[in-house]
Amino acid sequence: TIKQNGVVHTVTIGADATLQSVRDTINAQLGDKGISANIVNEDGGSRLVFSSSATGEGSDITVGGDITELEILADTKMAGSGAGYIDQQAKSAQLTVDGLPVTSKTNTIDSAISGLTLNLVDAKSVTISVGANNDGLKASVQKFVDAYNTLVKTVASLTATSKDSDDNVVLVPLTGDPTSRSLLTDLRNQLATVGAGDQLTTLGQLGINTLKDGTLEFSATKFTAAMDNKKLGGEVQELFTGTNGVFERMNAAINPYLETGGILDTRNANLSKTQKGLGDQQLAIDRRIESLTASLTKRYVAMDT
């Protein structure tokens, strides 16, 4: 019987077992429980050594049963000889954070300081300075600007007109489509809306401005000044993701387009209906042409005759 953390595991050792077969049986039955056994050959002979992936005070392994030579009792003292001695007792990590005691069964602590994971590797004093991640904020804002510009450029490529080498107008799939223009207009209005922040209320304060072609430009210099000089870093998240923030307003603006039975569904249905109507008209014209061709051919044959 192998006991750890109050859980008892029973391993049956068959007759004529060897140290190797005992090791293999334990590993096969308890490997997924984090308990393993191995054989160490020392000067005095071969020993069966138990180990565990479980750590922390109270996680010591005790072994009992019918094989006296394998017994490891809970009160066994640290010793370097004899059967059943403990090489290392299970202990919890002990540390202080700002003078407050913290105990953990593992050396990875993610609950002592909110939002911070400590990986303990050595016994020493460490000072951790926590500051605003301005570079991370700047990268996130740049991704937002890039995503918006991708949308604007995609819509432009699907709606703009151009001329070929013969000065003929070239149309694209959504040339003159009012829905596309309306969608961009609704989104642009949200970018210009004043937020509910304390000091940071507009994207322009972060160096985000609209260009003539409708895309956004992002000034890293103005952003850095807003973070370092005006100390607006604490309000960036609120501006974008807070209540009535940029993302919430933009989602509200595009929801009428994307919802089931919304503007895009209606527009798509109307275009499909128009397309079918044009197809039916084309078939009707083809039939009229065939009929007219047959009639004229018959008349010209009669005239020739």
Side-chain angles (χ1 to χ4, degrees):
T1 56
I2 301 174
K3 183 177 180 180
Q4 183 184 45
N5 286 325
V7 181
V8 178
H9 308 282
T10 300
V11 179
T12 301
I13 306 299
D16 301 322
T18 64
L19 204 59
Q20 288 79 6
S21 66
V22 172
R23 173 200 62 190
D24 295 343
T25 301
I26 292 173
N27 288 338
Q29 296 187 25
L30 302 183
D32 60 341
K33 305 296 191 301
I35 297 175
S36 60
N38 205 351
I39 296 175
V40 176
N41 300 307
E42 61 165 347
D43 293 340
S46 299
R47 294 183 182 273
L48 188 68
V49 179
F50 291 87
S51 61
S52 171
S53 60
T55 58
E57 186 176 352
S59 298
D60 297 287
I61 296 175
T62 60
V63 183
D66 300 329
I67 306 177
T68 305
E69 291 80 5
L70 295 183
E71 283 189 351
I72 303 175
L73 304 178
D75 59 352
T76 301
K77 303 297 182 182
M78 297 284 288
S81 62
Y85 78 87
I86 298 175
D87 177 64
Q88 186 174 4
Q89 290 181 313
K91 296 181 179 179
S92 295
Q94 297 180 344
L95 64 152
T96 59
V97 179
D98 283 346
L100 302 176
V102 176
T103 302
S104 172
K105 281 199 169 188
T106 71
N107 283 337
T108 300
I109 304 174
D110 57 11
S111 58
I113 304 174
S114 178
L116 191 65
T117 298
L118 303 177
N119 294 308
L120 308 182
V121 296
D122 198 2
K124 61 182 179 181
S125 177
V126 177
T127 300
I128 301 175
S129 299
V130 181
N133 183 11
N134 290 343
D135 289 339
L137 287 175
K138 182 167 66 175
S140 296
V141 172
Q142 183 65 62
K143 288 181 180 179
F144 165 73
V145 171
D146 292 343
Y148 182 83
N149 287 345
T150 298
L151 170 64
V152 173
K153 292 176 182 178
T154 300
V155 173
S157 67
L158 294 172
T159 58
T161 58
S162 60
K163 291 188 177 182
D164 59 18
S165 57
D166 297 326
D167 203 33
N168 296 317
V169 176
V170 178
L171 304 180
V172 289
L174 295 177
T175 296
D177 179 58
T179 304
S180 303
R181 293 196 299 269
S182 176
L183 172 62
L184 282 184
T185 299
D186 289 343
L187 289 178
R188 288 195 187 103
N189 290 339
Q190 309 315 314
L191 297 180
T193 301
V194 177
D198 183 16
Q199 292 179 292
L200 181 59
T201 58
T202 66
L203 293 176
Q205 291 175 267
L206 296 179
I208 302 175
N209 297 298
T210 304
L211 300 177
K212 290 183 178 180
D213 62 357
T215 60
L216 300 177
E217 68 170 355
F218 178 45
S219 171
T221 301
K222 290 183 179 179
F223 179 85
T224 301
M227 298 299 103
D228 296 342
N229 301 334
K230 299 180 181 179
K231 308 298 182 184
L232 298 179
E235 297 188 39
V236 174
Q237 183 173 347
E238 181 68 20
L239 178 68
F240 282 95
T241 64
T243 302
N244 199 37
V246 175
F247 292 162
E248 184 176 299
R249 297 196 306 269
M250 294 184 87
N251 281 327
I254 65 175
N255 187 58
Y257 293 87
L258 301 180
E259 63 185 358
T260 302
I263 296 175
L264 291 183
D265 278 354
T266 302
R267 181 66 171 154
N268 185 62
N270 291 337
L271 289 175
S272 297
K273 183 178 180 180
T274 300
Q275 184 180 35
K276 183 179 183 305
L278 291 174
D280 293 342
Q281 292 180 39
Q282 181 66 52
L283 291 175
I285 291 175
D286 290 341
R287 288 193 296 269
R288 288 177 58 192
I289 291 176
E290 290 177 4
S291 176
L292 180 60
T293 300
S295 175
L296 291 176
T297 301
K298 184 177 181 180
R299 291 183 182 181
Y300 282 117
V301 169
M303 290 173 61
D304 290 341
T305 300

